[in-house]
Amino acid sequence: GLLWRIKDPLPIDKSNSFHGTLQDADGLIISQPPVEYPVEAKPDAQPNIKIRRPAKDATVTPVAKPIVTFDVRDDYGVRQVWLVFHVQRKGQPEPEGQALKFDHRIELLKEFPKGQDHRVMEEAKFAWDLEPLKLEPEDQVLFRLEADDDCETNNLPPTTRRRTRGGEGEEGGAAPAAEDKGPFYACSTDLKFTVVTKEEKALEIQTEIARLFEQIRGMKDTQEDLKKKTRDLINELQKQLEQMK
C-alpha cells in the first residue's frame, strides 16, 4: 500500500468526515460509493499541573536541595514543564496586590521528546539546588511550576487573574500587566521558601520532632485508656453472664 500525507496543515474546528476518491491515468473514477471516515473534533484543554511537595510555604537553608514533587496531566500530552521563580532579597518589599514577576526559569523535562505522548506524569521529582543562588538568611524564593502542551491556542492570556500573594485573584490564570508580553502557560499554586540559618533550621526540625513525639505519646495514652475501658466493659459483661446462669 501507499502512505499518503496532506501537504499543508488541515485545521479541524468542528466534527466532520472525509473520504478518498481514486482516479486512474485514463480519467476513470472508482464507481463504488465512497467510504466516509468520521473525524471528531475535541478542543485541546490546558495542562493541569500541581505541586505535591512541598505542600505549603517552607523554610530552607542557603545550600539546601529541596525536592519538588509534582503531578501534570494533559488530554493530548505535555511538551514541557518549567520551574519559574523570583528571589526576593532581604530588605526588598514583597509585591502586594499585583502579579508576581518570575524572572528565572528552569526546564524540568530537558530530554522530553517533542510530540511524545505523555498525558499523565505522577509524582515526578526535581532536586532543586539553591546554592548557586547565593541566598542569605531572610531572603525569600517565590516559585511555581508552569506547563505547556505546544498548543498556541492555550498560550493566550487567561481571562481570570493569577493568584497573587496579598492580592485578589484566582489560581491558575493571570491578567497580564500592560508591559507583559509572550505566552501565558498553565501554572500551579505559588509557593515560597524563606531562607534561614542552619542553626535556625536545626531548631525548627528539633521542635517538629518534639511535637510529633508528644502527638505519638498522646495517641498511646488514648489507646491505653481505650484498652482499659474495653477491659472494664468485657468484665462487666462477663459478670452479667455469670449472674444469668
Side-chain angles (χ1 to χ4, degrees):
L2 298 177
L3 177 63
W4 297 85
R5 296 183 182 274
I6 299 176
K7 182 178 179 180
D8 297 319
L10 180 63
I12 304 295
D13 56 4
K14 62 181 180 179
S15 297
N16 211 317
S17 64
F18 72 93
H19 66 266
T21 301
L22 300 179
Q23 181 176 347
D24 65 12
D26 296 323
L28 298 177
I29 300 176
I30 187 170
S31 60
Q32 297 177 351
V35 178
E36 294 290 336
Y37 296 92
V39 176
E40 183 179 1
K42 291 183 177 180
D44 190 359
Q46 278 196 336
N48 182 282
I49 187 163
K50 176 183 179 181
I51 298 177
R52 277 180 176 257
R53 287 181 292 274
K56 59 182 180 179
D57 295 347
T59 58
V60 294
T61 65
V63 295
K65 295 182 179 180
I67 303 297
V68 179
T69 305
F70 62 93
D71 297 339
V72 58
R73 299 171 179 268
D74 186 70
D75 48 358
Y76 291 105
V78 177
R79 180 186 70 87
Q80 187 55 268
V81 175
W82 299 276
L83 186 147
V84 295
F85 65 95
H86 170 72
V87 178
Q88 195 77 21
R89 298 296 178 179
K90 176 183 176 180
Q92 294 179 349
E94 183 177 343
E96 298 286 344
Q98 57 181 324
L100 300 174
K101 299 293 184 181
F102 295 91
D103 42 13
H104 299 281
R105 182 175 295 266
I106 301 175
E107 290 187 4
L108 303 190
L109 304 177
K110 293 182 178 180
E111 306 300 325
F112 199 75
K114 183 177 180 180
Q116 183 173 337
D117 183 14
H118 278 255
R119 304 184 186 188
V120 178
M121 297 178 62
E122 293 184 340
E123 296 197 35
K125 296 181 179 180
F126 170 69
W128 189 5
D129 186 2
L130 299 179
E131 187 172 6
L133 300 181
K134 306 298 182 182
L135 299 172
E136 299 289 342
E138 298 187 42
D139 287 349
Q140 295 181 342
V141 183
L142 312 171
F143 68 97
R144 67 166 175 258
L145 298 182
E146 293 183 351
D148 178 38
D149 60 357
D150 202 25
C151 177
E152 293 183 359
T153 304
N154 288 337
N155 292 344
L156 297 176
T159 56
T160 56
R161 287 190 58 80
R162 175 171 292 146
R163 212 175 147 266
T164 60
R165 309 192 75 89
E168 296 180 356
E170 296 181 12
E171 175 187 342
E179 67 275 11
D180 290 341
K181 297 180 180 179
F184 288 76
Y185 301 112
C187 62
S188 69
T189 300
D190 302 335
L191 291 175
K192 176 176 66 177
F193 285 147
T194 299
V195 183
V196 297
T197 64
K198 292 182 179 180
E199 294 75 16
E200 290 173 327
K201 188 64 178 180
L203 180 60
E204 177 186 323
I205 294 174
Q206 291 173 358
T207 302
E208 180 64 12
I209 291 175
R211 186 189 68 81
L212 292 174
F213 179 78
E214 288 297 324
Q215 185 177 359
I216 292 173
R217 187 167 63 178
M219 294 172 60
K220 179 181 178 183
D221 293 342
T222 300
Q223 290 179 344
E224 291 297 331
D225 183 60
L226 181 60
K227 288 181 180 178
K228 181 178 181 304
K229 290 181 178 179
T230 302
R231 286 195 297 267
D232 292 344
L233 179 59
I234 292 175
N235 292 335
E236 180 64 25
L237 292 175
Q238 287 178 339
K239 289 180 182 179
Q240 294 181 15
L241 184 61
E242 290 293 334
Q243 293 174 358
M244 294 175 60
K245 292 183 179 179

